Every structure is written in C-alpha cells, then in structure tokens.
Amino acid sequence: MKFELAGAPHLPPAQSVAGMMRQVLYALVPAIAAHWWYFGWGIVFQIVLAVGFALLFEAIMLRLRQQPVKMFLGDFSAVVTGVLFALCMPPLAPWWIAAIGMLFAIVIAKHLYGGLGFNLFNPAMVGFAAVIIAFPIDLSNWLAPRPLSPGLPGLAETARAILAGQLPPGLSWDAISQATPLDALRTGVQDNLTVTEIRRDPVFGNFGGLGWEWIASWYAIGGLWLIYKRVISWHVPVATLVTVIVLSTPLWLLGPDTNPSPPQHIFSGALVLAAFFIATDPVSGCSTLRGKLIFGAGVAVLTLAIRRFGGYPDGVAFAILLMNMAAPLIDRYTRPRTYGHRR
Amino acid sequence: MSTSTSGLRLHGFPGGLKMRHHKQVSCRQPPAVAEIPKRLYIPIGQHQGEVGTLRVEPGERVLRGQALTASEDDFVVPAHASTSGKVAGVVEWPASWPPGSSRRCIELISDGCDESIEPQPLPDWQSRDSEAIINHLRAGGLAGLGGAMFPTAAKLRGDWGGLDTLILNGAECEPWISCDEMLMRIRPEAIINGARILARAVSAGRVLIAIEDPMDEVGAALESARRQMDSANIVRIVRIPAIYPEGGERQLIQTLTGLEVPHDGLPQDLGLVCHNVATAAAAFDAVARGWPLTERLVTVTGPGILEPRNFSARIGTRIAELVSQAGGYTDQATRLVLGGPMSGIALPSDDIPITKGSNCILALEADQVSRPHPTLPCINCTECVRVCPAGLLPQLLFKAVAADHEDEAAELNLFDCIECGCCAQVCPSHIPLVDWYRHGKDRLRLKRLDQRRAALAKRRFEARQSRLEKAEAERQARRERRRQKLAAPDQAKSEIQAAIERARGKKD
Ligand code: SF4
Ligand code: SF4
C-alpha cells in the first residue's frame, strides 16, 4: 500500500488562530453586556461599525496585496481589532471616527507592515491613538452611567446620534454627558481639590468608577478565563497589574489627597482591558516569557506616568505603543537559557 | 518537585505536553509471536554507524543467529540472520529515512525450519570484566532499541572516568507506543538482569529504571523481579510524571538528576549513561542466554489498524506482514508512521522492514492528521516557547530558518532542538516547525561542510602555492648561482678558453 508523506507531529492541531480569536471575543461578551447596561446601545453600534469597517478594509487590502481573502478574513483577527477599538470609544461617537480609526488600524498599522503576524504596533491602539489625537473633543463626550443619567438614549436615538450627529430633541450634550472618572480626577487635581473631595462625586462609584468598575471586573473575569484556556499567558496581565499596585500603593499611602488609590487606578479607564486583552496582543508583544513580564511592567509604568504627567487622561494606548517599539529590544536581552548551555 | 516511591527527589523539566496516551489499545492482550515471513529483508548497517562487510555468499544456507556481516569496530553493528534459510543476495530495499530512500538489505528466504546456531552465552558474566561483556554485546549485534539504534558497544566502551549511574529508560512518553511497557510486564527479570549486565560493563554502582507514573502493573512486576535478582541492591525503580518528552534522553536525565547534559558534551560527562529497557533485555539475551539480537517487540496500533496489538517480530519482517496479522488497515487509513505520532516518520509504503529500532507502527486516519489549509503566518503567540523543553525560542528559530538566516538560527541554538514536535503541536498557525528545523540543520551542516571544504581547499591551495614558490625560489637560486659563475671574470675566461681548446682539439 502507498501512504501520504508528511512531517511530524502526526496529530490534529491543538488549536487554531481563528479559534483563539473567537475565544477572545467570547471572553469580552460579559463586559460588553455590562457596558450596554451602564451606557446604553452605543456600544452595540460602535462594535458593528468598527468591525464592519475593519472587515471592509481588511478585504480591500488583502485583495490589493493578492492574498487569499477568505482564509485571512476567517482568522477573526480583524474582528478582534474592531471590537477592542470599539470598546475604547465613547458610546455616542460619530460613525466616521470608527472609519478613520480602522483605516489607521487595518490599512496602516496592519497591512502596510505586512499583514497578520508582521505588524510592529497593536492595530487597535494605533487606530485609537490616531483618533484621540485628531478628535479629542469627540472622544471625551462620555455618557453618564445609567444610575446617574436622566435617561439613556434609546435604540433609535442612539442611531440618530451616531449616524447623523443629532441628539434627541430637548436633550443637550451637557445634560446627558458626564466626565469619566479619570477626566474628573484630572480636572479636580488641576483645580487643587483633594482626591477625597473629588471622589465625593457619585461618578466614582465604590472603588473605581460607577459602571466602570463593573465593566472592568468583567474584563478581568473574561481575561482569567482566557488564561485558564491558555489563549493568553499570565505574564503580561500579572506584570501590569502587580506593577500598578506596587507603584501606586506607596504614593497613595504617602499622599492620599493628591494620589488616587490603587483600585482607583486599576478599575478606571482601560487598564484592565489593556492588561488582559490589548497588551497581550501576541504579534506586537514580546517573544520571550521574561520579556512579557518586562513588557507588562513597562505598560503599567508608562500608563501611570501619562495619567500623572501627560496630556491625556488615560495613557494606556500610548503606553502600549511605546512598549511595542521596545519589544524587539527587550527580546534580545531576555532570551531563555537553552538546555545544556551556561548563561 | 515531587518525591518518587524510591525516595529519589525528582526535578522535572521545563515545557512539555500532557498527552492522551492511547496505550491500552494495544495492551489488552499479550504480544503475539509474529509469523516468520517467507522473505526477510535484513538491513546491513541499520544502525548509525558504518556498513559492515558481508560474511556470507548468495545461495549460502544460514542459521538463526548467524552473523551475516562483520564488525570491524564498535561503531559497526553486525547483522544476524533472523531465521534459518538461504541468502538470496543483497538488494536495495526501501528504507524509512530519508523518505523515499533505499538501503542495502540481505534478502533471506526462510526455509521454515527456524533452526538456530548453538547459543553462545558469556559464562560467568558476573565476574567478567567490562571488556569481555562489551565485546560480547557487540558480537550479539546490540544497538539502541529505543529508536536511535546507536551502537551499544560504542556507548559503553570508553575511558569516561567514573561512570556512577546507569539509567534505563522505560518512560515511553509518546502516545500509542506500548512495546516497552509490554516488555517490562512480561520480562521484568530479563530487564533487571540486563541492567546488572550493563551496569557491570561500565562499572556503575547504581541503576535507575525510569517508568511513567500510570504504569502500576509494570512497577509491581519490576519491583518483584528486583527483589529476587538484585542481591547487590543497586537497582531502583523510579516513577516519573507522564509529560512528553519525558523519555527523551536529556529530559530524562534532567528529571532524575537535575543536571543538564552540556550542549557540546555527552551524558557520560555527568557520570551517566542511558539505555533503553529493551536494550537491557537484549543484553541479557546476548550475555546470559547467548542469543544475538534477531527479534524485538513492535507495537502495531492506531485508529487505522483493525486489531491493534504488540508483536514479537523478527528483524527484517516487512511492515505489511505485521499489519495483516493485526487484522489489516481500516478503509480510512491514510498515514503510516514509524515511531510515535509526535516525532515518528511518515512512511511512503509498508514494504519497509522492521529494524532493531522499530518500536511502533502507527496507522492513522485522515481526520486524525488533518492540518487544514495553507498555514498562517506566525502570530508570535509564544505557545511554542512555553512548551519547548530545550529552552529555545521556536518562533524566532522558524523565522530565521525561513528567511535563510542560518547564522542567526545557529546563534539561537538551532542544534539544541531535539525535534520533539511540542512546538508544532501547539502552533495555532499550523506551521510545520520541525520540518523547518530539519531543513535549517541540513543547510547549516552543508554550509559548515562547505566552509570546511573551502578551508581545506584553501589550505591545499596555499600548500601548493608555497611549494611552487619554493621551487621557483630554488630555480632562481640556481640561475643566480650560474650567473654568478659566469660573471666571475677569470673563471669565465678560462672556461671559454677551455671550450675553445676543446673545439680546436676536435679539429685537430
Ligand atoms: S506557536 Fe506558532 S504562531 Fe505561536 S509563536 Fe510559535 S510559531 Fe508563532
Ligand atoms: S521541536 Fe525543537 S524547538 Fe520545538 S519544542 Fe521541541 S526542542 Fe523545542
């Protein structure tokens, strides 16, 4: 009898890229549901828009680069990019922000660098950085979370606001929008208020920010599930969160009036999302396990630094992009010791 | 770190995979004695060493156990007739590696009598020196039965300066393979005695027999044999956790001792030597019973085989013959593997004969081996890094090899890759990583060979050049001397004078 020839191993593969990306999406579902509960329909539109544009640009670029369109669209990586981007958008951000964000993410950050597996920077964060630099005002219009809101816009109102830029009659941005906890903190500190005074604002919730803290908790639970399923490794999230705690605790203990508490740092803004879902992006991250620890710690340090000294309320995106740049260098100096070799 | 029942502290190794082992499939019944086929194809030089010279003529009748080839040194393992019959001649016959290659085999036509030579044991081996034991093992045709077929004598002999521990590898960590487990169950005394023989050959004062944790029956069998045979109390049975590639020599050493074999060294540098349990049993057969190595246990198994089981098969039996005695293939069998699924070799045909290193014949069906569509690019997920037992960066190795950056691959320690396949197994992009590493190693070897050749050629060129220069210099010197002679006026004049006179004399 004749048999086919093939290299070892002779077993069905343990996993696939598409499978891993799908699990990432599943892990985000609870947090998306929480987002919907606290901030209304906006997140649904943002996801549909960003994913739609991501797939559109992905298909166009694959066609232009003469790559197999169906195979690469089926790897779900563009979908993940779109969803992560959408999760960073204010609920009522106009539709063209998603278009521009995805243009930078998919076309520039991903395909001009060579497509899946070759991008130097995290595409979702490149998209986010581009729009927050270009449209800072549009990106700061956050809605008040449900318990504080005079009434979250319904489905049709949300659609009109996002697609046509019209707010429901009788409502103004001032009435429905509210500063995010990080924004409030920042302006409060600039106004020489103490953190304790600032935190009297109900937007701060119990430990991070009303609504925000629960969305972040769901990110963490989804992320832990991904670690358990071995879709991501524990190195980056643990390094990021531990570094935030280690750095912010002494500052907070020394000056509780001017420095936010560690839970405040962790549960507001995009830190948990970043720690489990964005800084863990394999392609633009480190190739060694010790490198991942340094990468995570670096993201934490830079985020805290930007939050404290920088021009933006939340520095996670820039922190990640900066660490993306450092990753190849970190890899060089964190190579594991090969069996039978001395250090 | 855990403590085994033998009191030895285990160390473990990084990475590796937990796998479903599928061993019970072929272990339900004791091994069958495979029929002796009409024609056997006994490879000459089935070991890693050189090819031995023929000691039989075509047409000659040989007996089972008779040496067919000579053994000039420790690296040449003699081949023995696996049954009695007529030597038909030497033929080129399909071999397992490299794919599609062939190898010189002695074709033996069985006469159905299965008549053996007189057994030639080594009497009183308990008091013989290592020289005598190793020579006897070499004459018995012993080579590593774990798969690598490294000449046993070559591994044992040598001035290693104090080997203290012999490790017997019974940790059959690849899924599906069960021949060693089976052997340990049915012939524990042979293994314990073989261990004592091998230990004596290298003057090791301690033997560790490593078995995998779930092998309870095996542990009990070996333990009771040990109590009976091992009066000197040098043998210990150690259970180690079942993590692939625990049975790899380097990983086994690391697990048992916490030491790493230096990348440019050998286990012997650590005072250790490693043999397979089946090799120990074969050593017992050769030394105590006087039988050369002519048969071995082979697992014939997998979803593509109708009645999986172990066989005691003669060396040189074609795989097809064993498979038909195992009920044949299922209709969906599409891949035939020699060895286990993680590091085994896919065979193009089942005409290939069983050699001393053939531990398992595995037939798989299409849906168990499917690697869908073209591979995706590496997404740097580092799953491969987490499972690599050698501490390599498989994804960077792959990128270096794929980009033809061999020097970079060498710098990333490509040659320390043991080709265990863990990385390729977990890769979500389904990149055939091990194929790439083999390719890279081949290219590097070629390149180094080229460099060596180039260096040699250069040296030859320089030698020739200097020879030519020297000759030229001598010629110059001679010419110079002559010119000087001519230039010396008196002498020149008298020479001219003499010539003139000679000419005159002739005239006269
Ligand atoms: S497992 Fe595959 S995709 Fe992941 S880093 Fe390794 S080679 Fe790349
Ligand atoms: S095949 Fe080589 S690189 Fe891959 S896991 Fe095994 S030792 Fe590491």
Side-chain angles (χ1 to χ4, degrees), chain A residues 206-222:
Chain A
N206 295 321
F207 44 95
L210 194 60
W212 294 90
E213 56 205 17
W214 291 110
I215 297 174
S217 302
W218 283 112
Y219 284 140
I221 290 169

Side-chain angles (χ1 to χ4, degrees), chain A residues 10 12 15 337-341, chain B residues 250 260 341 368 413 416 426:
Chain A
H10 312 280
Q15 54 192 343
R337 188 182 60 83
T338 304
Y339 181 106
H341 287 255
Chain B
R250 292 162 161 229
E260 293 177 18
Q368 284 126 6
N413 300 329
D416 289 288
V426 298

Side-chain angles (χ1 to χ4, degrees), chain A residues 1 3-17 20 117 282-283 287 292 335 337-341, chain B residues 250 254 260-261 263 329 334-335 341-342 344 346 348 350 368 370-371 379-380 382 390 395 411 413 416 425-426 428 430:
Chain A
M1 250 178 95
F3 297 90
E4 58 176 7
L5 284 178
H10 312 280
L11 284 173
Q15 54 192 343
S16 68
V17 173
M20 288 171 91
V283 179
S287 308
K292 282 175 190 282
R335 286 205 185 144
R337 188 182 60 83
T338 304
Y339 181 106
H341 287 255
Chain B
R250 292 162 161 229
Q254 192 174 17
E260 293 177 18
V261 182
H263 69 102
Y329 301 104
T334 53
R335 192 173 298 179
M342 288 300 285
D350 53 10
Q368 284 126 6
S370 60
R371 302 235 147 209
I379 59 166
N380 196 32
T382 59
Q395 84 277 46
E411 198 213 322
N413 300 329
D416 289 288
Q425 180 52 28
V426 298
H430 307 155

Side-chain angles (χ1 to χ4, degrees), chain B residues 270-487:
Chain B
L270 304 174
L272 305 165
V273 63
C274 239
H275 285 279
N276 187 269
V277 283
T279 312
F284 170 72
D285 288 340
V287 171
R289 304 170 75 186
W291 296 343
L293 182 51
T294 57
E295 65 182 353
R296 65 158 299 146
L297 281 187
V298 186
T299 308
V300 180
T301 187
I305 297 284
L306 284 167
E307 295 160 25
R309 68 182 310 169
N310 279 282
F311 287 98
S312 161
R314 298 292 164 90
I315 308 296
T317 306
R318 287 183 312 122
I319 290 169
E321 239 124 6
L322 289 184
V323 171
S324 74
Q325 292 171 62
Y329 301 104
T330 61
D331 291 340
Q332 287 84 40
T334 53
R335 192 173 298 179
L336 188 67
V337 175
L338 174 65
M342 288 300 285
S343 60
I345 303 163
L347 301 178
S349 102
D350 53 10
D351 267 338
I352 292 165
I354 297 295
T355 68
K356 291 173 185 173
S358 311
N359 49 2
C360 180
I361 305 300
L362 177 67
L364 296 164
E365 301 186 337
D367 57 330
Q368 284 126 6
V369 290
S370 60
R371 302 235 147 209
H373 58 73
T375 58
L376 286 172
C378 166
I379 59 166
N380 196 32
C381 68
T382 59
E383 269 304 292
C384 50
V385 180
R386 293 174 78 186
V387 297
C388 178
L392 298 167
L393 294 170
Q395 84 277 46
L396 299 190
L397 272 179
F398 154 69
K399 287 177 188 168
V401 173
D404 282 342
H405 295 161
E406 284 100 3
D407 295 333
E408 193 186 329
E411 198 213 322
L412 288 161
N413 300 329
L414 176 60
F415 280 105
D416 289 288
C417 166
I418 57 168
E419 300 181 14
C420 65
C422 289
C423 52
Q425 180 52 28
V426 298
C427 177
S429 292
H430 307 155
I431 303 170
L433 294 165
V434 181
D435 291 357
W436 281 103
Y437 305 147
R438 289 209 174 119
H439 171 74
K441 286 181 190 175
D442 284 348
R443 292 200 48 159
L444 259 173
R445 281 198 200 99
L446 261 182
K447 193 168 159 181
R448 289 183 179 168
L449 194 68
D450 272 359
Q451 278 167 358
R452 251 208 316 278
R453 278 208 195 114
L456 269 179
K458 184 161 171 258
R459 194 145 342 129
R460 268 201 300 271
F461 174 78
E462 284 166 357
R464 179 162 173 272
Q465 204 64 7
S466 81
R467 211 169 49 238
L468 289 180
E469 275 164 18
K470 221 161 101 196
E472 179 61 25
E474 274 167 18
R475 236 195 334 273
Q476 286 283 1
R478 267 203 306 277
R479 221 177 283 149
E480 186 63 20
R481 271 199 302 278
R482 212 176 304 139
R483 232 196 25 240
Q484 274 169 4
K485 257 197 229 157
L486 287 176

Side-chain angles (χ1 to χ4, degrees), chain A residues 191-245:
Chain A
D191 294 345
N192 283 326
L193 296 175
T194 65
V195 170
T196 332
E197 283 167 337
I198 304 169
R199 277 190 54 95
R200 289 209 190 100
D201 188 327
V203 80
F204 284 96
N206 295 321
F207 44 95
L210 194 60
W212 294 90
E213 56 205 17
W214 291 110
I215 297 174
S217 302
W218 283 112
Y219 284 140
I221 290 169
L224 291 175
W225 183 73
L226 288 183
I227 291 177
Y228 168 69
K229 296 295 266 178
R230 286 193 73 141
V231 174
I232 59 174
S233 69
W234 57 268
H235 302 77
V236 171
V238 168
T240 308
L241 298 177
V242 167
T243 310
V244 168
I245 292 170

Side-chain angles (χ1 to χ4, degrees), chain A residues 43-311:
Chain A
I43 186 63
V44 177
F45 281 89
Q46 297 301 336
I47 288 177
V48 170
L49 283 169
V51 169
F53 282 118
L55 289 175
L56 177 71
F57 290 135
E58 177 97 345
I60 294 174
M61 290 311 288
L62 287 171
R63 176 70 47 85
L64 287 178
R65 293 178 53 227
Q66 300 178 337
Q67 301 267 320
V69 176
K70 230 175 107 196
M71 177 176 124
F72 278 102
L73 279 191
D75 68 26
F76 287 97
S77 61
V79 178
V80 170
T81 301
V83 171
L84 291 176
F85 176 85
L87 285 170
C88 301
M89 289 297 105
L92 296 188
W95 64 270
W96 42 265
I97 294 220
I100 294 172
M102 286 302 102
L103 183 77
F104 275 90
I106 301 290
V107 177
I108 295 175
K110 188 172 180 183
H111 282 286
L112 292 189
Y113 277 92
L116 178 72
F118 295 95
N119 44 299
L120 225 56
F121 294 100
N122 183 312
M125 289 302 100
V126 170
F128 179 79
V131 296
I132 200 168
I133 292 169
F135 316 106
I137 307 294
D138 294 277
L139 261 75
S140 61
N141 279 335
W142 269 89
L143 290 179
R146 181 181 293 273
L148 303 180
S149 175
L152 286 170
L155 189 59
E157 292 159 336
T158 307
R160 219 169 298 130
I162 294 174
L163 301 177
Q166 294 167 351
L167 285 184
L171 271 186
S172 68
W173 269 116
D174 284 347
I176 57 166
S177 76
Q178 179 154 29
T180 64
L182 279 177
D183 273 329
L185 204 61
R186 185 179 180 76
T187 39
V189 171
Q190 278 163 358
D191 294 345
N192 283 326
L193 296 175
T194 65
V195 170
T196 332
E197 283 167 337
I198 304 169
R199 277 190 54 95
R200 289 209 190 100
D201 188 327
V203 80
F204 284 96
N206 295 321
F207 44 95
L210 194 60
W212 294 90
E213 56 205 17
W214 291 110
I215 297 174
S217 302
W218 283 112
Y219 284 140
I221 290 169
L224 291 175
W225 183 73
L226 288 183
I227 291 177
Y228 168 69
K229 296 295 266 178
R230 286 193 73 141
V231 174
I232 59 174
S233 69
W234 57 268
H235 302 77
V236 171
V238 168
T240 308
L241 298 177
V242 167
T243 310
V244 168
I245 292 170
V246 166
L247 285 180
S248 61
T249 304
L251 289 175
W252 175 65
L253 289 177
L254 287 177
D257 277 350
T258 42
N259 293 301
S261 67
Q264 177 76 56
H265 263 305
I266 290 177
F267 286 96
S268 53
L271 198 83
V272 179
L273 174 67
F276 285 97
F277 291 90
I278 305 178
T280 49
D281 168 40
V283 179
S284 55
C286 278
S287 308
T288 67
L289 300 182
R290 281 189 305 144
K292 282 175 190 282
L293 292 176
I294 297 176
F295 188 95
V299 167
V301 171
L302 290 172
T303 301
L304 294 191
I306 298 173
R307 278 184 181 179
R308 181 80 180 76
F309 308 110

